[in-house]
Amino acid sequence: WLWVNGCAPERAVQAKPNAADGPIRFGYFGAFAPHTGLPDLIRVFTGLVRRSELHICGFGKNKTAILKQCGDHQQIRLHGPRTPDECLQLAQSWDVLINPRPIWPGNENNFPSKIFEYALSGRAILTSRVSGADKILGDQAYYFDEYDYDRSLGNALEQLIQAPRAELNRRGASVQEHLVTHYSWAQQGQRLAEFIADVLG
């Protein structure tokens, strides 16, 4: 994450408190590729009994497989590709953004840049800890255990389905403030410069 990830604080969305009624709305935006964990998320989500929605906004050559996996499941909503800023606006209608990244070859050295985009939306985040996501997001994000993937993710979804929206809103705002305060591109550039200076001795 030190090498290529940061955020532009000026892009942060002033998230409006989501006081909507109805089922909790989970969201995902990003690639459809298996290494992102989206196929795993869909599999676990469709096994839930409780009412909730999963909104997916993405792209990639795996689209046909994802569409087939979603089938006619009434609780899944698919959205066409959008620009990064449009994704932030779309997220305003959701409650919790999910980064379902699994343990996958290369993922341990490939930080999910969507974490920074998710934070800019001001919404609550549920994520695995793969590649150090927990070190960036801190204790206000929600986590599941990537080593016990299906059971842990399922339990986390079930718990969040019952969470008060006010608490989800609070956590989302807290994560956003943390990242724009401590992980701007300027700060990340300074950290990288210091790292290189240490290497060079």
Side-chain angles (χ1 to χ4, degrees), residues 21-39:
D21 294 325
I24 290 294
R25 291 173 297 228
F26 297 104
Y28 170 93
F29 54 77
F32 287 158
H35 77 272
T36 67
L38 179 59

Side-chain angles (χ1 to χ4, degrees), residues 167-180:
E167 175 64 7
L168 298 178
N169 293 336
R170 185 194 69 77
R171 286 202 178 218
S174 179
V175 168
Q176 183 188 69
E177 180 181 5
H178 175 65
L179 263 69
V180 300

Side-chain angles (χ1 to χ4, degrees), residues 2 10 17 27 35 63 82 88 113 117 129 162 171 179 184 195 201:
L2 174 62
E10 65 273 13
H35 77 272
K63 180 178 179 180
R82 285 166 166 76
L88 299 184
S113 58
E117 292 293 302
R129 293 178 173 83
Q162 304 173 62
R171 286 202 178 218
L179 263 69
S184 69
F195 173 78

Side-chain angles (χ1 to χ4, degrees), residues 26-31 36 38 41 55-57 94 98 100 114 118:
F26 297 104
Y28 170 93
F29 54 77
T36 67
L38 179 59
L41 170 60
H55 293 257
I56 299 170
C57 175
W94 304 338
I98 304 175
K114 68 167 53 67
Y118 280 9

Side-chain angles (χ1 to χ4, degrees), residues 81-165:
R82 285 166 166 76
T83 66
D85 286 340
E86 288 172 342
C87 285
L88 299 184
Q89 294 299 325
L90 179 61
Q92 297 305 294
S93 62
W94 304 338
D95 298 292
V96 182
L97 299 177
I98 304 175
N99 170 45
R101 186 160 291 210
I103 298 171
W104 185 272
N107 271 358
E108 70 275 12
N109 295 316
N110 178 17
F111 191 85
S113 58
K114 68 167 53 67
I115 287 292
F116 289 90
E117 292 293 302
Y118 280 9
L120 289 175
S121 76
R123 290 301 180 218
I125 298 174
L126 169 64
T127 179
S128 67
R129 293 178 173 83
V130 172
S131 195
D134 54 325
K135 294 179 174 62
I136 302 298
L137 292 173
D139 62 2
Q140 292 301 294
Y142 295 97
Y143 300 97
F144 69 92
D145 182 0
E146 61 271 16
Y147 292 97
D148 188 14
Y149 197 99
D150 285 26
R151 188 187 67 83
S152 183
L153 176 57
N155 287 345
L157 293 172
E158 291 279 9
Q159 291 171 7
L160 289 172
I161 286 169
Q162 304 173 62
R165 278 195 164 97

Side-chain angles (χ1 to χ4, degrees), residues 3-44:
W3 296 94
V4 295
N5 286 282
C7 64
E10 65 273 13
R11 291 186 55 230
V13 175
Q14 184 63 46
K16 299 175 182 177
N18 194 342
D21 294 325
I24 290 294
R25 291 173 297 228
F26 297 104
Y28 170 93
F29 54 77
F32 287 158
H35 77 272
T36 67
L38 179 59
D40 302 308
L41 170 60
I42 294 171
R43 184 188 69 251
V44 173

